Amino acid sequence: MIMREKIILSAGRSWINMVKMAGRRGMTIIFALVVIIGLGIVLGALSFFSTNERLVLEKMINNKKLVYLVRAGLNLAEAKLIEGRWYFPKSEGKLVIDLPTGGRVRVFTDDYVRVKPVDYNGHTVTLLDHIKVCIEASYNKEFLYGYGKFVISPEPNNDLADTTGLNPVHSKSTENGPKPVYTMRKMANLHTLTPDQLDGVPGFSSIEDTLSRKALATYLIVDQMTYAMNYSEMMPLAKGIKLSYVPPATSTFSYNVLRAKLKALDPTSKTPYDLKDPAVQQKLKSQFMLETFKRYFMASDWDIDEAEKNKQLNSLNIIRGEVATKTTDPTIAPAITVAFGAPPESVDDVKSSFSYGNKQTAAESFLQYRGYLSGPKPGESPVFIAKNLSQIHTSNAYGFAWSAELEYENAAGVKWPGDGGTSAVNYVKYDNAFKNTLSWTDPNDASTTVSVKSCPQPPAKKKTEGYSGYYLLNPITNSKMAVFIYLNFFLKFVDENTPNDPIELNSWGNAFSSSFWFVDPTKIKEMTGGQVTGTY
């Protein structure tokens, strides 16, 4: 009996142990399943995250490639346009570049022509004002667009493929047609635009459509005004900060004190500009042009060290070009007074050169002399300012043709016409005799009397203002460039109206020679007469 109970108890313990062992194995399986499921979730999440990160990375790489493709397209267009218009004689061009990597760049160009032709000594020439460039870059079914304005100064002949500008400052004295001259050419107003941004441009439908590209150019005018505003206002502020800078070793400022000092240096109005107001646009364009002129040192490498930039700025000179020779013959002025009814107006001599001195660069001294150092004058357009700074009134040239009819009479009462000379002195004498009915004895025959039968007002007379231009001169390289070329170039950075309202210069220098006043001899029918010219 006792033995049987022991056997039963032993069997019960074994069964209990087996149940315990089975429970432990079940828990282990459950735990393993939980771990496996957890690892699956973690690995799945990591896989999803890495896939998403890979897609984001691919997107970033594609975008960066598109940006590079747009820039490459603009650079390529600039390089090719400097060589010439590959699409000439058409007024718009297209260029497609397929890359081995699968990318594509499409370049679109549109010519903007001057409305008013220019006369070069009888040669009528239509000028190309500038060229707009649009870029479409595609890569892996993604698109990005670019925009630029190819600025040219002076303007080239629109009837030629060449983009080298024509000499604009001696147009009336140029023989055998216009001559090419040093030309500033550069892509400006660069923009990168996404497809969504293009969709927001009024009037834009397709990059291939000419009117759409023109609508884009119009839309970006506000951006140009913003650029002009930021540059023209921040440059004086930056200069003020430099001039008033105190080394930290001598003074320290709290945040609020520093803000107050910077605010005191800011010369600009705190009232926001209305960039669509024509008067505001005019002011900003002029400010931009004047501020850039102060910092230009006749080099294409603009992003150089500040010390080197200042060195080149300080070495730059501005010089005046040649001027017409003033008349010294005392007999000319009385004749001009009789013909024009007033004495000739004389122009005072003007300053001929500007250089660094008194902590002012040549450009700053020049602007101070011309009255523009502190900014544009109220009411003056940027075109007027650019023209006014490019040249200066140096002389007044007068010229006229005259004639008189002399009558000789001897003691017997016989009359006949005679020759009385062609000089300015003769004209004054004959005009006075005719008006006052005077006569005199012929110096070669005491018995002959001379009188003036007629001495009309000069049938051909003209007064013209003489001008001379100013030039930037780099004595290090001995290179010279007309101030006009620079001002015209940077005006186009911010002005879209130059095709309709360009800077029109007067003829300079040697255009005022005696032959300039040539009068057809057939118009002088009387035996006595001539031409009188004088420059004052």
Side-chain angles (χ1 to χ4, degrees):
M1 187 68 178
I2 295 173
M3 180 63 74
R4 184 190 303 173
E5 289 178 354
K6 287 182 178 180
I7 292 172
I8 292 172
L9 288 173
S10 176
R13 290 191 189 98
S14 298
W15 183 80
I16 290 172
N17 289 334
M18 288 177 64
V19 170
K20 288 182 178 180
M21 291 294 294
R24 289 172 183 167
R25 284 196 299 269
M27 290 297 295
T28 302
I29 293 171
I30 292 172
F31 179 75
L33 288 174
V34 170
V35 170
I36 291 171
I37 292 172
L39 285 174
I41 293 173
V42 171
L43 293 174
L46 287 173
S47 175
F48 175 80
F49 179 76
S50 62
T51 301
N52 187 58
E53 285 296 299
R54 180 177 58 81
L55 293 175
V56 170
L57 182 60
E58 287 181 356
K59 181 75 172 178
M60 293 173 62
I61 293 173
N62 286 344
N63 287 343
K64 183 61 69 175
K65 287 182 177 180
L66 286 171
V67 170
Y68 287 147
L69 288 177
V70 168
R71 292 179 180 175
L74 290 169
N75 290 337
L76 175 65
E78 180 183 58
K80 289 189 70 67
L81 288 173
I82 289 175
E83 295 176 354
R85 291 180 286 169
W86 72 86
Y87 49 89
F88 182 80
K90 296 180 180 179
S91 61
E92 56 184 71
K94 180 179 177 181
L95 188 65
V96 180
I97 303 101
D98 289 312
L99 303 176
T101 56
R104 167 178 278 195
V105 176
R106 296 201 297 169
V107 180
F108 300 87
T109 60
D110 296 286
D111 293 347
Y112 285 71
V113 180
R114 284 281 177 89
V115 173
K116 183 180 177 181
V118 176
D119 178 67
Y120 284 87
N121 197 29
H123 299 264
T124 301
V125 179
T126 301
L127 299 178
L128 173 65
D129 189 85
H130 65 274
I131 302 171
K132 295 288 191 346
V133 178
C134 290
I135 305 294
E136 181 191 70
S138 58
Y139 184 78
N140 284 349
K141 299 181 180 181
E142 298 283 346
F143 292 86
L144 193 66
Y145 298 88
Y147 168 88
K149 180 179 180 181
F150 185 68
V151 179
I152 315 169
S153 179
E155 293 72 25
N157 188 342
N158 187 56
D159 295 327
L160 300 174
D162 191 9
T163 57
T164 302
L166 303 180
N167 187 350
V169 298
H170 296 294
S171 59
K172 293 182 177 60
S173 62
T174 302
E175 297 180 0
N176 302 320
K179 299 292 188 294
V181 70
Y182 170 78
T183 307
M184 294 182 70
R185 290 169 288 190
K186 192 172 182 64
M187 196 73 74
N189 300 338
L190 304 181
H191 291 80
T192 303
L193 303 107
T194 65
D196 290 339
Q197 288 175 314
L198 279 186
D199 290 340
V201 175
F204 185 91
S205 58
S206 170
I207 194 73
E208 297 185 1
D209 178 53
T210 304
L211 294 179
S212 291
R213 297 195 295 270
K214 291 184 177 181
L216 174 61
T218 302
Y219 177 76
L220 293 174
I221 288 177
V222 175
D223 282 357
Q224 295 178 27
M225 288 299 98
T226 303
Y227 176 77
M229 177 186 68
N230 291 337
Y231 187 95
S232 60
E233 291 192 346
M234 292 304 106
M235 283 299 293
L237 177 58
K239 186 175 181 180
I241 293 174
K242 288 181 180 179
L243 292 176
S244 61
Y245 174 70
V246 179
T250 58
S251 296
T252 57
F253 307 113
S254 67
Y255 174 73
N256 291 332
V257 171
L258 180 61
R259 283 193 62 185
K261 286 184 174 292
L262 293 177
K263 186 176 181 180
L265 292 171
D266 190 352
T268 62
S269 170
K270 300 304 178 290
T271 303
Y273 280 120
D274 179 6
L275 297 181
K276 295 183 180 181
D277 184 348
V280 171
Q281 291 186 8
Q282 181 170 285
K283 177 183 177 182
L284 292 176
K285 291 174 186 178
S286 300
Q287 286 183 183
F288 171 79
M289 188 172 57
L290 294 174
E291 288 300 325
T292 55
F293 181 64
K294 294 176 185 177
R295 302 294 297 169
Y296 182 63
F297 48 89
M298 291 186 70
S300 58
D301 185 13
W302 298 345
D303 298 324
I304 62 175
D305 180 76
E306 188 71 14
E308 180 61 26
K309 184 182 296 184
N310 289 330
K311 178 182 177 182
Q312 295 196 37
L313 275 172
N314 295 342
S315 66
L316 193 70
N317 296 329
I318 296 178
I319 61 173
R320 190 204 63 215
E322 63 181 47
V323 298
T325 303
K326 301 290 183 69
T327 299
T328 57
D329 185 346
T331 68
I332 302 298
I336 292 174
T337 302
V338 172
F340 286 84
E345 298 178 18
S346 180
V347 178
D348 294 335
D349 292 337
V350 297
K351 192 171 181 179
S352 60
S353 64
F354 304 84
S355 57
Y356 177 78
N358 297 323
K359 297 184 178 180
Q360 279 189 325
T361 64
E364 290 171 333
S365 298
F366 172 73
L367 291 176
Q368 185 175 42
Y369 177 72
R370 302 303 304 277
Y372 290 99
L373 182 60
S374 59
K377 299 175 183 178
E380 291 185 353
S381 70
V383 171
F384 176 87
I385 293 173
K387 178 178 180 178
N388 195 27
L389 290 175
S390 298
Q391 60 185 20
I392 192 166
H393 183 200
T394 58
S395 63
N396 290 317
Y398 296 83
F400 66 92
W402 65 275
S403 63
E405 186 177 355
L406 303 186
E407 187 175 70
Y408 289 73
E409 183 177 0
N410 60 18
V414 179
K415 299 179 180 181
W416 68 93
D419 185 6
T422 62
S423 69
V425 173
N426 291 139
Y427 169 67
V428 174
K429 177 182 178 179
Y430 300 154
D431 176 81
N432 181 57
F434 176 72
K435 290 176 180 177
N436 296 285
T437 319
L438 303 177
S439 61
W440 62 94
T441 301
D442 185 354
N444 299 318
D445 185 355
S447 64
T448 301
T449 302
V450 185
S451 62
V452 181
K453 188 176 180 179
S454 70
C455 186
Q457 276 291 307
K461 61 182 179 180
K462 187 176 183 182
K463 173 191 174 184
T464 301
E465 294 180 341
Y467 287 85
S468 182
Y470 281 103
Y471 296 84
L472 294 163
L473 175 65
N474 188 334
I476 298 175
T477 60
N478 200 31
S479 55
K480 187 173 77 169
M481 181 180 71
V483 168
F484 160 78
I485 294 177
Y486 173 84
L487 295 178
N488 184 47
F489 178 80
F490 273 93
L491 177 62
K492 291 183 181 184
F493 264 59
V494 290
D495 193 351
E496 287 297 314
N497 199 39
T498 50
N500 303 307
D501 185 23
I503 305 169
E504 295 182 295
L505 300 176
N506 302 80
S507 282
W508 296 357
N510 59 9
F512 302 95
S513 60
S514 59
S515 61
F516 183 78
W517 304 109
F518 176 79
V519 177
D520 187 351
T522 61
K523 294 181 180 180
I524 305 176
K525 298 180 180 179
E526 293 77 7
M527 297 179 64
T528 299
Q531 292 186 132
V532 177
T533 61
T535 303
Y536 297 88

